[in-house]
Amino acid sequence: MQLLSKTENSPEIARNMRKIVLDIETKNTFQDIGRNDPSLLDISLLVIHDSVTDTYTSYLEEDLPKLWPILESADMLIGYNSDHFDIPLLNRYYAGDLTQIKSLDLLVEIRNVLGKRVKLDQVAEGTLGKKKSGHGLEAIEWWKAREIEKIRKYCEDDVRITKEIYDYALKNKKILYKDLGGVQPVKLDTSKWEATETAFSLNHTLPF
């Protein structure tokens, strides 16, 4: 993907980058597989937001081949705990290497400043004034009951929250999170998040 030559904080960069916000729900838990390894879990459903089309799209496990061309043209993957969980898990299904795509894990960015993990629900409540619509264990029970639409809605809600937090942080250079002491700010250095020299797309790592 050809990016315009602009300064790091230029809005043209954000418009021309293909940013994919993603979240994954699974069919099972770490307890089920007996190991704390996300790559060994099984995907039930995945939702992405594509900045090019400004749409939310969901994929069941059998639909994942339709997702690969989108990810292969992405300049950046965005998630919450995505470097540890979503990307390693999704990479097990992919014939190439998704870790070669630039990624932005909001949890990592926050932890690097605070020195501790903060739940997405805390950030959503502090930054956006709203809470998640469920939790991952519920999504597993919905999968067992084949209540796919409930999983789809919950996963899309998480992707929307993650996107809105990312957009807020990029604009305000901070996020806020809710804890027992109230709402706390976290200043973030977002200057390189969409910098042209660090933005690139995979452009097919499949072994053709």
Side-chain angles (χ1 to χ4, degrees):
M1 177 176 290
Q2 181 66 40
L3 297 180
L4 297 179
S5 177
K6 300 288 182 180
T7 59
E8 287 185 352
N9 295 317
S10 168
E12 280 77 18
I13 293 176
R15 283 199 298 269
N16 287 279
M17 287 183 69
R18 190 171 199 177
K19 296 175 289 185
I20 303 296
V21 184
L22 76 162
D23 185 62
I24 294 174
E25 303 306 326
T26 65
K27 301 176 183 178
N28 45 11
T29 67
F30 292 131
Q31 185 175 358
D32 293 331
I33 63 174
R35 292 178 61 184
N36 189 23
D37 184 350
S39 69
L40 299 179
L41 295 170
D42 298 311
I43 292 175
S44 63
L45 185 139
L46 176 151
V47 172
I48 68 166
H49 175 269
D50 186 344
S51 66
V52 169
T53 60
D54 192 24
T55 57
Y56 294 84
T57 311
S58 63
Y59 302 84
L60 294 167
E61 182 180 357
E62 57 266 30
D63 299 324
L64 289 176
K66 301 175 185 177
L67 175 64
W68 305 143
I70 297 172
L71 297 187
E72 288 171 353
S73 65
D75 296 292
M76 179 162 60
L77 304 179
I78 300 167
Y80 201 92
N81 197 31
S82 50
D83 284 354
H84 171 71
F85 186 85
D86 302 86
I87 294 174
L89 171 53
L90 190 57
N91 212 27
R92 177 165 67 84
Y93 290 82
Y94 183 62
D97 185 4
L98 297 177
T99 66
Q100 295 302 306
I101 308 174
K102 173 182 169 67
S103 69
L104 193 289
D105 187 333
L106 286 165
L107 174 61
V108 171
E109 296 294 313
I110 295 168
R111 187 183 62 200
N112 287 344
V113 176
L114 287 181
K116 65 178 183 179
R117 295 167 60 94
V118 178
K119 293 180 179 179
L120 177 60
D121 208 27
Q122 293 175 269
V123 182
E125 192 171 2
T127 304
L128 307 175
K130 59 185 176 184
K131 297 176 69 68
K132 284 162 49 73
S133 59
H135 57 76
L137 292 179
E138 285 182 310
I140 293 172
E141 293 304 312
W142 292 331
W143 172 258
K144 292 176 181 177
R146 300 304 293 172
E147 295 182 297
I148 305 302
E149 289 308 310
K150 286 186 178 180
I151 305 173
R152 197 186 316 276
K153 181 183 183 305
Y154 163 65
C155 193
E156 184 175 314
D157 286 345
D158 268 11
V159 172
R160 182 174 285 103
I161 284 173
T162 303
K163 176 188 178 298
E164 290 176 2
I165 291 171
Y166 175 88
D167 290 343
Y168 180 96
L170 195 65
K171 179 180 178 180
N172 297 281
K173 309 297 186 287
K174 67 176 181 179
I175 58 91
L176 303 106
Y177 71 98
K178 186 77 174 290
D179 70 1
L180 296 178
V183 176
Q184 307 295 333
V186 181
K187 293 183 178 180
L188 298 173
D189 180 5
T190 65
S191 61
K192 296 188 183 300
W193 283 12
E194 298 191 2
T196 52
E197 64 267 22
T198 57
F200 63 97
S201 53
L202 186 59
N203 291 326
H204 306 289
T205 64
L206 285 172
F208 295 133

